[in-house]
Amino acid sequence: MTSAPIASAIEITPTAKISRETHGWRSKCLQRLIRMDLPVPRSFAVDCDSVRSISQGRPIPATELAEIFGGSGLVSVRPSAVSPEWGGPGTVLNVGINDALHERLTAQIGRANADGVYLSFVQSYATHIARLDPDLFTLDGPDALARALDIYRGETDEDFPQDPVKQLSEVLRSMARAWDGPTARLLRQAKGAPADAPLGLVVQEMALALGPGLCGSGTIQFIDPVTGTPRVTGRFRGQHHGQTVGSGAETLYLTQDDRGPALEDSAPEIFDELIRFGIASRERLREEMQIEFVLTGGAISVIDAVRTQRSARAGLRVAVSLARDGIIPVEEALMRVEPRALAELLHHQIDPRAPRDLIARGIDASPGAATGRIVFSASAAQAAQSRGEPCILVRRETVPEDIRGMHAAVGVLTERGGTTSHAAVIARGIGLPCIVGATGIVIDARNRTLRAGARTLSEGDEITIDGSTGEILAGAAVLLPPALDDAFTQLMDWAEDAGGLGVRANADTPEDALTARRFRAQGIGLCRTEHMFFDAERLPAMREMIFADTPEDRRLALERILPMQRADFTRLFEIMAGHPVTIRLFDPPLHEFLPSDRDGLRELAASLDLPLSDVTRRVEALTEFNPMLGMRGVRLGITVPEIYDMQARAIFEAAVEAGHKGDPVVPEIMIPLVSAMKEVELVRTRVDSVAAAVRNERRTDFTYHLGVMVETPRAALRAGDIAEHSAFLSFGTNDLTQMTYGLSRDDAGRFMGTYVNQGVFAEDPFHLLDEDGVGELVLTGVERARLHNPDITISVCGEHGGNPESIAFCDRVGIDYVSCSPFRVPVARLASAQSAIHRRRGR
């Protein structure tokens, strides 16, 4: 039986065997600083295994600890976890001070300063090591040290420990056991660390920041943490040694500005040396670092260096800057930027330095921030827009008729809903900040008020919503503009060069298409034509078609819409300039185009010149028990074929017109909600007939591709049969998830949080593609489709097409491209590039 290893500490030297995995990030960082010849005080690393041994009662030998003390006689102990994000026990300063050292320090830095150093350690040791009541040691005055030592003696029946080795041994033991405590485990798990994550410790000689000459402590960093632009910032606190503040203490900023005196002016040679350290750290550590330093009589000691905290926009700029300067490879720059962070950069953001008057929270459904006056209806939003007043559309939940109001507003807030509710999906599509599921608010639409806690706001009051965090603020907040600068453009260029899946955009309007082109989408992967029918000029014709009794009457009504649809498609084709455009044929149930309230029914009856009772009966007849699983999609196209006939004609005529003006157009027509091969055959027959008619009428030949939107589990399972009659398949993972789970995405927000918290689902399946269930159907569909049609193009066009983790899955299973909301295209492009890099690296 072998004995357990003895805990030990090794001095951090340029050649010492120090690694992040065995000693933690701080030990490795200090070694790199030492290798750069920076003036780092003598430091020792206690490896993770030794820390674990210490927590189990096996201390470092006293002879080894005794060798650590030197110089000022004081040491500090700091945590060194494998990752800095995991945190650790608080730093303990001034270990080693005792009566004898106190006397020496008195002669060196004065009685008051020496008392302060000794008192701060007694307070720390008594409360964190001896576990005494901290209130007993809240002392001040000239005799505070003597009283603290007396209290310690009275509480423990022994003198304060005078042996530095015993002090250090107890500090190490306390920190090691604190790391293993249940509270610490929970905290680091919340930060993404495993429960049994290892901890190293660093013991470092302390440089005195008190005494004659220029003494003190400070930090310096070299970028603006919000923008990432080069800028020296920081603060130097003269005569500050930890919590001990000496006489003559003052605060200096690093550079001169309107805040006060600067170290740059009072000690230019020290400032220049710090700048040199920053440049060296950036080049050797390949990162923008914040340096912690101490001055002792004008001599610099570098105590630590940590990665400078930064916003998403600053992180992108830093990564690009490091790559441009040749400090890191381009691939590494791409991997350093979190794809989701790009979504924030495309919109206004609340300045993190500004105050926030938080009144409620909801689900962050669409990123960006906006300030506007509260409105409670789509018509009020349009009226506000006409007056040039920014407004926030506030609804219990949005419905299709609210789309006009959403376009008129600068942001949307709903009391109900989840990340895939109507408001969330539409808002992401048009790049509108949106918060849904704000259960902390109560909307009174009749009295036009919004109650949030004890506050009641009325229509016209100003609020700010942050769709990136879910925060709802009272009043106007300071907003930062979108960060679409040269660094962003450069990163996107590199992402394109890195390869990966193709990325198209879901675009229904010319504005969407222009946004998609601006973000360099490789085409339109989903154009939802039903949104075009809600236009005020088209809705009456659509309703007239719904109420028509014969196919001929339906055709006459649809003929009024045909030129408008043709113009829509022509404009899309022109904007995309030869890039592929996939147009989904009409999908929703007809009841969505009819009013449900009494006033709306009266207006409809008047416009159709029909009795109200007839209109009411017809609306009731079209009502389905479960319309999302009823007569919609291809079912509607087969039973009311005139709709698809009109749309096919509009597409072909638009393709001819756009082709005459510019690049050749090969439209891609997609059939929604297919579940059987026969459905595809029936629609193809009619579409081919329309194509032949347009060719004859226009005396122009053209080609087109017909494909299927795979949204039902049966379509995924029968993808082989369907692929034989299709040029492409596009998985609509929104509906495929609904049908696989038997779960409404609009209602899921009411309980999804509970399900995720209790581990029923690891994540909201409408947010992150369920690889085990829905993903299995996608994989099965891909394999069976390619078996029957090796040349078929396969894509994903649901909301998951803009999710980085889901994109990685798509890459693994052989998807050709993803399609997502225009404002998520950069996110998808970066995620696709990262997936390609991972694949090349064999991960």
Side-chain angles (χ1 to χ4, degrees), residues 499-832:
L501 293 174
V503 178
R504 299 191 194 177
N506 299 341
D508 308 333
T509 66
E511 292 76 20
D512 292 342
L514 289 168
T515 301
R517 283 301 304 270
R518 187 165 79 248
F519 294 138
R520 285 187 278 181
Q522 297 166 331
I524 293 176
L526 173 63
C527 173
R528 292 161 291 208
T529 54
E530 59 269 13
H531 291 166
M532 301 171 176
F533 289 84
F534 284 105
D535 184 272
E537 295 181 13
R538 308 175 196 201
L539 192 56
M542 188 64 188
R543 289 173 170 175
E544 185 179 323
M545 186 277 298
I546 293 171
F547 276 80
D549 293 321
T550 66
E552 184 59 31
D553 288 341
R554 283 196 289 269
R555 286 194 196 93
L556 290 174
L558 289 168
E559 281 181 5
R560 293 169 52 194
I561 301 176
L562 173 63
M564 295 181 254
Q565 280 256 284
R566 182 173 59 234
D568 291 331
F569 298 142
T570 301
R571 182 65 179 133
L572 288 180
F573 292 145
E574 289 173 348
I575 291 171
M576 297 315 293
H579 290 285
V581 177
T582 303
I583 298 171
R584 184 179 72 182
L585 296 175
F586 192 86
D587 180 48
L590 294 178
H591 80 277
E592 288 193 3
F593 297 88
L594 300 175
S596 56
D597 61 289
R598 194 74 176 170
D599 291 340
L601 291 171
R602 283 199 187 93
E603 289 180 15
L604 178 59
S607 67
L608 296 173
D609 194 23
L610 291 172
L612 177 60
S613 57
D614 289 355
V615 171
T616 303
R617 277 195 297 272
R618 188 60 179 270
V619 170
E620 290 174 350
L622 287 171
T623 301
E624 300 180 72
F625 289 108
N626 193 336
M628 298 314 292
L629 296 178
M631 197 171 77
R632 54 168 284 224
V634 68
R635 302 159 191 169
L636 189 62
I638 290 173
T639 55
V640 189
E642 296 81 13
I643 298 176
Y644 282 9
D645 289 350
M646 180 275 291
Q647 289 193 304
R649 174 172 286 276
I651 291 169
F652 296 142
E653 291 179 353
V656 171
E657 290 184 17
H660 287 157
K661 298 177 184 178
D663 298 310
V665 175
V666 180
E668 299 179 351
I669 299 176
M670 185 157 65
I671 310 171
L673 209 71
V674 165
S675 56
M677 177 181 66
K678 187 64 176 177
E679 292 172 321
V680 183
E681 292 176 340
L682 290 171
V683 173
R684 174 179 282 280
T685 298
R686 293 194 70 104
V687 171
D688 285 343
S689 176
V690 173
V694 174
R695 289 190 183 104
N696 290 334
E697 294 166 10
R698 297 298 180 103
R699 297 184 180 182
T700 302
D701 195 17
F702 57 84
T703 59
Y704 74 95
H705 297 147
L706 187 73
V708 165
M709 195 169 189
V710 180
E711 303 168 87
T712 68
R714 192 178 194 280
L717 295 172
R718 304 304 302 170
D721 297 339
I722 293 171
E724 293 182 357
H725 300 270
S726 306
F728 64 90
L729 299 181
S730 188
F731 286 88
T733 53
N734 296 346
D735 271 355
L736 186 57
T737 299
Q738 287 196 113
M739 296 189 190
T740 303
Y741 276 85
L743 181 65
S744 166
R745 67 179 184 178
D746 293 312
D747 297 323
R750 300 178 185 179
F751 61 86
M752 188 58 68
T754 301
Y755 261 49
V756 172
N757 290 337
Q758 296 191 16
V760 180
F761 300 152
E763 181 59 84
D764 182 342
F766 294 109
H767 173 67
L768 182 66
L769 184 68
D770 164 35
E771 295 184 16
D772 296 333
V774 180
E776 185 71 19
L777 286 171
V778 172
L779 177 59
T780 299
V782 170
E783 290 175 343
R784 293 181 180 181
R786 293 204 191 284
L787 184 64
H788 287 74
N789 184 355
D791 297 327
I792 195 166
T793 299
I794 302 180
S795 66
V796 165
C797 63
E799 280 294 297
H800 300 102
N803 179 280
E805 291 86 355
S806 302
I807 287 172
F809 170 79
C810 292
D811 195 16
R812 291 197 305 272
V813 302
I815 298 295
D816 294 302
Y817 71 85
V818 296
S819 188
C820 57
S821 303
F823 281 92
R824 300 182 85 181
V825 165
V827 176
R829 289 177 60 197
L830 180 57
S832 176

Side-chain angles (χ1 to χ4, degrees), residues 432-455:
L432 197 66
C434 178
I435 295 174
V436 299
T439 54
I441 67 173
V442 177
I443 297 171
D444 183 344
R446 175 173 295 181
N447 295 311
R448 299 183 180 277
T449 61
L450 178 156
R451 191 170 74 250
R455 299 200 196 189

Side-chain angles (χ1 to χ4, degrees), residues 138-455:
T138 306
L139 306 168
D140 55 23
D143 61 343
L145 173 60
R147 284 189 289 145
L149 292 171
D150 285 341
I151 292 170
Y152 185 91
R153 186 181 303 108
E155 292 293 315
T156 63
D157 293 328
E158 59 184 28
D159 289 334
F160 189 79
Q162 296 295 297
D163 182 2
V165 170
K166 180 182 178 182
Q167 293 178 5
L168 180 55
S169 180
E170 290 300 312
V171 168
L172 294 173
R173 181 185 65 83
S174 175
M175 294 179 71
R177 290 186 174 177
W179 178 256
D180 281 337
T183 301
R185 286 172 177 263
L186 290 173
L187 286 174
R188 62 176 175 268
Q189 281 183 283
K191 298 174 182 177
D196 59 348
L199 174 74
L201 294 171
V202 170
V203 184
Q204 185 180 72
E205 288 184 359
M206 292 190 68
L208 286 170
L210 297 166
L214 185 57
C215 294
S217 56
T219 58
I220 182 172
Q221 59 188 36
F222 307 91
I223 60 164
D224 186 297
V226 173
T227 66
T229 53
R231 178 186 171 207
V232 177
T233 60
R235 187 172 61 173
F236 172 73
R237 298 184 300 172
Q239 300 298 327
H240 276 68
H241 179 91
Q243 299 300 314
T244 306
V245 181
S247 59
E250 65 172 338
T251 296
L252 300 177
Y253 293 95
L254 271 295
T255 58
Q256 180 63 51
D257 58 22
D258 58 4
R259 293 179 295 182
L263 186 67
E264 180 182 21
D265 298 328
S266 59
E269 67 289 345
I270 291 175
F271 179 82
D272 291 343
E273 192 75 348
L274 291 171
I275 295 296
R276 185 179 70 80
F277 293 165
I279 294 171
S281 297
R282 181 176 187 268
E283 293 176 351
R284 295 285 293 277
L285 301 182
R286 306 179 337 124
E287 185 55 279
E288 290 288 356
M289 305 296 289
Q290 175 180 283
I291 294 175
E292 183 180 348
F293 64 93
V294 167
L295 297 183
T296 307
I300 304 176
S301 295
V302 174
I303 305 303
D304 203 2
V306 297
R307 179 181 179 273
T308 304
Q309 293 295 311
R310 64 201 64 169
S311 68
R313 65 179 61 203
L316 186 152
R317 180 177 286 277
V318 168
V320 170
S321 176
L322 291 170
R324 280 175 169 170
D325 293 344
I327 295 173
I328 62 174
V330 166
E331 280 197 353
E332 185 173 339
L334 286 168
M335 299 304 292
R336 283 193 181 192
V337 179
E338 170 62 40
R340 284 191 181 84
L342 293 187
E344 299 177 20
L345 307 185
L346 308 180
H347 309 277
H348 284 85
Q349 294 173 278
I350 297 177
D351 191 331
R353 298 163 294 195
R356 296 186 175 209
D357 186 3
L358 180 67
I359 59 173
R361 291 181 185 273
I363 299 170
D364 46 329
S366 182
T371 296
R373 299 190 182 280
I374 296 172
V375 296
F376 292 99
S377 67
S379 59
Q382 291 177 295
Q385 183 188 44
S386 67
R387 297 191 300 269
E389 294 179 356
C391 66
I392 305 291
L393 178 61
V394 180
R395 303 281 285 162
R396 279 201 178 92
E397 55 190 341
T398 60
V399 293
E401 297 96 293
D402 289 321
I403 289 176
R404 294 193 300 275
M406 294 177 72
H407 278 282
V410 296
V412 176
L413 169 63
T414 68
E415 184 179 344
R416 301 171 183 165
T419 55
T420 51
S421 63
H422 177 269
V425 172
I426 299 302
R428 283 195 293 270
I430 61 179
L432 197 66
C434 178
I435 295 174
V436 299
T439 54
I441 67 173
V442 177
I443 297 171
D444 183 344
R446 175 173 295 181
N447 295 311
R448 299 183 180 277
T449 61
L450 178 156
R451 191 170 74 250
R455 299 200 196 189

Side-chain angles (χ1 to χ4, degrees), residues 5-10 45-47 49-51 53-54 58-61 64:
I6 298 175
S8 62
I10 62 170
V46 182
D47 65 81
D49 287 341
S50 291
V51 173
S53 295
I54 292 169
R58 294 186 290 273
I60 298 175
E64 196 172 326

